[in-house]
Amino acid sequence: ANLKDDFNSAKASVERDALVGSRVSGDLESGSSKFGGKNKSHRERLLEQNDQISGQNDKLGNARRIIAETEDVAMEITSELSRNREKIESAHGRVRDVSGLTNQARRIVQSMSRREVQQKLIMYFFAFMMVVVVIVILYAMGK
């Protein structure tokens, strides 16, 4: 705001000097001004300062435009990151579900394997008992 106030006061001063300067240059042409050279250099200095202020205002405008563009890009990036986070969280949830199902399947397979071993042992036991019974029957018939 201070730079803007300075610019506005300099602009008003330049406009005032432009009006006074046209009178002074009119006086110079007629030869009635004693301070024509001093006013002319002062006027040139004011014009240079006005050009500098104008250039600085252009730079500030460009800087504001760049800041606005940067903010827009940052907002887009933030939005994209938010969407990516949601996707990652969703994928993480599915991975946990699959992991739980995998653990459940592993327990089922282990249980089935244990039952298979138990059934084989029981089958071998009954086969052994049948062989023993057959041998006992044959031994008893042979006597």
Side-chain angles (χ1 to χ4, degrees), residues 3 6-7 10 48-58:
L3 186 60
D6 291 345
F7 173 73
E48 288 174 11
Q49 289 177 353
N50 189 27
D51 290 342
Q52 287 177 350
I53 290 172
S54 177
Q56 290 173 352
N57 282 337
D58 291 344

Side-chain angles (χ1 to χ4, degrees), residues 74-89:
M75 293 304 291
E76 289 175 15
I77 290 171
T78 301
S79 174
E80 183 68 26
L81 288 174
S82 175
R83 285 191 298 271
N84 288 345
R85 180 185 179 109
E86 290 171 6
K87 288 178 185 176
I88 289 170
E89 287 175 349

Side-chain angles (χ1 to χ4, degrees), residues 9 14 28 35-36 41 56 59 61 64 68 83 87 93 95 119 126 131 133 136:
S9 65
V14 166
L28 278 177
F35 304 107
S41 68
Q56 290 173 352
K59 287 179 185 178
R64 285 187 185 116
R83 285 191 298 271
K87 288 178 185 176
V95 166
Q119 288 174 353
F126 281 119
V131 170
V133 169
V136 170

Side-chain angles (χ1 to χ4, degrees), residues 98-117:
V98 169
S99 177
L101 291 174
T102 302
N103 289 336
Q104 185 179 5
R106 183 176 41 81
R107 285 192 300 271
I108 290 171
V109 168
Q110 286 175 344
S111 173
M112 290 171 65
S113 177
R114 221 178 8 257
R115 266 192 244 136
E116 178 188 8
V117 169

Side-chain angles (χ1 to χ4, degrees), residues 21-65:
S22 64
R23 252 191 359 215
V24 168
S25 64
D27 290 346
L28 278 177
E29 291 169 4
S30 65
S32 64
S33 174
K34 296 189 252 179
F35 304 107
K38 186 176 179 182
N39 284 339
K40 187 174 183 181
S41 68
H42 181 68
R43 183 170 190 244
E44 288 175 2
R45 223 173 348 131
L46 286 174
L47 288 173
E48 288 174 11
Q49 289 177 353
N50 189 27
D51 290 342
Q52 287 177 350
I53 290 172
S54 177
Q56 290 173 352
N57 282 337
D58 291 344
K59 287 179 185 178
L60 285 173
N62 285 338
R64 285 187 185 116
R65 182 183 49 78

